Amino acid sequence: MRDHYAYGEASVLFPGQHTELIPDIPASEGPLHFAGDHTSIKPAWIEATLESAVRTALKVHRG
């Protein structure tokens, strides 16, 4: 609850940060892939987690 950027629930970006950061957040770093609702434009939603899981699984599969 005390984290200024998380508000105790989910990551909360300032206006404009989604368009600035979202292309880089889910980007792979070598063999390391990132997934989860924080890598989506719909943070704090289960739908975002599932979409990111599918996106990441396809990236790994297509490797």
Side-chain angles (χ1 to χ4, degrees), residues 28-59:
S28 302
E29 291 288 332
L32 184 62
H33 296 271
F34 300 95
D37 68 306
H38 62 285
T39 66
S40 171
I41 59 171
K42 305 173 208 167
W45 290 92
I46 291 182
E47 179 184 7
T49 302
L50 295 174
E51 285 177 0
S52 75
V54 170
R55 181 195 72 242
T56 303
L58 287 171
K59 276 175 132 177

Side-chain angles (χ1 to χ4, degrees), residues 2 4-5 11-12 16-17 26-27 29-30 34 36 39-40 52 58 61:
R2 294 182 182 155
H4 177 72
Y5 299 105
S11 61
V12 178
Q17 281 188 311
E29 291 288 332
F34 300 95
T39 66
S40 171
S52 75
L58 287 171
H61 180 69

Side-chain angles (χ1 to χ4, degrees), residues 1-10:
M1 290 291 291
R2 294 182 182 155
D3 186 343
H4 177 72
Y5 299 105
Y7 300 109
E9 172 196 7

